[in-house]
């Protein structure tokens, strides 16, 4: 890649950041599209987030992604928020429009696109069980509600957090009905009855953990399973789901799709098809072999 005086700068803010796969996938797409820009990881500590955000203006950085633990905090530091980012309460993409910093959440459309393409499933009119009640669950709720899901069940270890999401979103996503559940085996088995799709937004599986109380007994083989976690060779949940005959996907497609949405917001161009996902698959295969 040739860096010149007119090369634009993109990047990602996070803490930690060294593990992030976004630089390899974004740089691969920028290079293939012939866009004169580089994408750089920035290790930003929480106390330095306001200064890092301000530097986007000072250094005329084109835009950045924002990852753990800054997605919620950064939303209050920008000039404007896209309506869905405001609803989700988290920003993972910032666009610098001539000094005006605009925040977006591309996790929601990224998840939806990946679920529609990789499972595949159309959430319109469907009953969906969402496991977890953190930021990723909020993105899933907004995406599924906007896409016309008929019923959304929320099950979380801390049940009060699931109920708080039900209270908040039932007044906003009016075409969808909501219910909250606990996370013990019995509650999960009731919650999973008659659903069309189960979405894991908890971090179970991130370190290879097996989902002990997953309600397999309540699920007929035509129920699709989406695991937002991703891992080299696929997550234990995705692998087990496929063994049992379910359509299943892990979060690799979502990671690529949210990146593609960000690329489009910054550059105004769709990235070359499949480049980001293929690059991620290569990186994860290499990680598996080391
Ligand atoms: P978060 O806000 O910290 O929420 C974590 C959720 O997981 C909470 O609901 C928490 O329950 C639950 N949880 C954690 N450990 C658990 C356990 N041992 N048993 C049961 N529940 C447990 O995190 P987040 O931002 O929502 O992210 C969640 C996951 O989604 C992460 O693994 C992240 O990698 C993944 N993600 C993937 C993508 C992608 O592009 N593929 C994008 C965003 C996020 P409590 O409320 O009880 O603590």
């Amino acid at each position: 890649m040739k860096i010149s005086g007119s090369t634009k700068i993109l990047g990602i803010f996070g803490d930690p950041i060294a593990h992030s796969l976004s630089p390899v996938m974004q740089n691969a797409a920028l290079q293939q599209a012939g866009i004169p820009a580089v994408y750089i990881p920035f290790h930003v500590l929480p106390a330095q987030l306001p200064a890092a955000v301000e530097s986007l203006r000072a250094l005329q950085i084109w835009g950045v992604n924002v990852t753990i633990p800054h997605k919620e905090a950064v939303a209050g530091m920008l000039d404007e928020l896209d309506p869905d980012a405001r609803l989700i309460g988290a920003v993972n993409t910032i666009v610098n429009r001539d000094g005006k910093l605009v925040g977006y959440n591309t996790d929601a459309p990224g998840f939806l696109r990946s679920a529609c393409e990789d499972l595949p499933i159309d959430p319109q009119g469907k009953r969906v069980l969402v496991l977890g009640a953190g930021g990723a669950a909020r993105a899933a709720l907004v995406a599924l509600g906007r896409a016309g899901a008929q019923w959304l069940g929320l099950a979380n270890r801390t049940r009060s957090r699931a109920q708080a999401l039900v209270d908040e979103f039932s007044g906003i996503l009016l075409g969808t009905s909501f219910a909250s559940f606990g996370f013990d085996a019995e509650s999960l088995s009731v919650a999973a009855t008659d659903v069309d799709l189960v979405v894991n937004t908890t971090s179970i599986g991130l370190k290879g953990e097996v989902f002990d109380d997953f309600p397999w007994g309540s699920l007929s083989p035509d129920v699709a399973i989406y695991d937002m976690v991703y891992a080299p060779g696929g997550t234990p949940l995705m692998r087990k789901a496929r063994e049992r005959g379910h359509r299943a996907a892990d979060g690799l497609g979502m990671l690529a799709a949210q990146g593609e949405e960000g690329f489009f917001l910054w550059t105004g161009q769709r990235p070359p098809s499949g480049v980001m996902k293929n690059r991620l698959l290569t990186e994860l295969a290499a990680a598996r072999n080391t």
Side-chain angles (χ1 to χ4, degrees):
M1 175 182 292
K2 183 180 157 220
I3 297 197
S4 73
S6 59
T7 302
K8 288 180 183 286
I9 297 178
L10 294 165
I12 179 164
F13 290 174
D15 174 30
I17 199 61
H19 69 287
S20 173
L21 295 172
S22 291
V24 286
M25 71 172 187
Q26 291 287 355
N27 282 314
L30 288 165
Q31 227 167 323
Q32 192 139 334
I35 294 174
V38 286
Y39 183 105
I40 296 167
F42 294 107
H43 186 186
V44 176
L45 300 174
Q48 287 162 351
L49 184 61
V53 169
E54 202 44 50
S55 76
L56 297 175
R57 273 189 269 263
L59 301 175
Q60 296 183 27
I61 289 173
W62 209 10
V64 286
N65 283 128
V66 181
T67 187
I68 290 170
H70 303 314
K71 287 185 187 183
E72 284 89 14
V74 85
M77 299 175 188
L78 305 176
D79 300 313
E80 200 175 300
L81 289 184
D82 169 74
D84 277 1
R86 187 182 299 283
L87 202 54
I88 294 164
V91 163
N92 77 335
T93 305
I94 301 173
V95 182
N96 182 357
R97 297 213 169 94
D98 298 324
K100 184 162 119 185
L101 303 181
V102 186
Y104 296 86
N105 187 307
T106 68
D107 282 337
F111 158 66
L112 192 62
R113 236 186 72 203
S114 173
C116 291
E117 289 174 12
D118 298 336
L119 286 173
I121 193 166
D122 174 0
Q124 171 80 38
K126 301 290 193 306
R127 293 172 59 84
V128 185
L129 173 61
V130 176
L131 306 174
R138 294 178 68 91
L141 289 189
V142 170
L144 292 164
R146 293 260 192 255
Q150 179 219 322
W151 179 87
L152 291 175
L154 298 174
N156 196 45
R157 182 174 60 178
T158 311
R159 167 116 188 233
S160 57
R161 290 188 78 196
Q163 185 56 45
L165 290 189
V166 169
D167 294 343
E168 180 180 347
F169 284 101
S170 50
I172 297 169
L173 299 167
L174 298 174
T176 305
S177 58
F178 292 85
S180 75
F181 299 89
F183 214 75
D184 56 284
E186 202 184 323
S187 301
L188 288 175
S189 122
V190 172
T193 306
D194 289 335
V195 298
D196 303 293
L197 167 68
V198 181
V199 182
N200 175 42
T201 78
T202 75
S203 36
I204 298 173
L206 206 53
K207 293 177 185 143
E209 312 94 306
V210 174
F211 209 126
D212 287 329
D213 290 332
F214 198 80
W216 297 111
S218 301
L219 304 177
S220 60
D222 57 342
V223 175
I225 295 171
Y226 194 93
D227 189 357
M228 278 202 193
V229 178
Y230 52 86
T235 60
L237 177 61
M238 181 187 89
R239 290 203 305 267
K240 185 150 183 205
R242 287 187 177 168
E243 272 166 35
R244 296 180 72 105
H246 296 276
R247 300 178 339 267
D250 72 4
L252 184 101
M254 174 176 170
L255 181 65
Q258 63 77 30
E260 291 185 354
E261 296 297 321
F263 184 105
F264 177 69
L265 287 169
W266 296 316
T267 66
Q269 291 181 36
R270 288 279 161 206
S273 174
V275 169
M276 291 201 197
K277 194 166 182 182
N278 287 336
R279 196 56 216 254
L280 288 176
L281 286 168
T282 307
E283 289 295 313
L284 287 179
R288 198 182 183 189
N289 294 330
T290 55

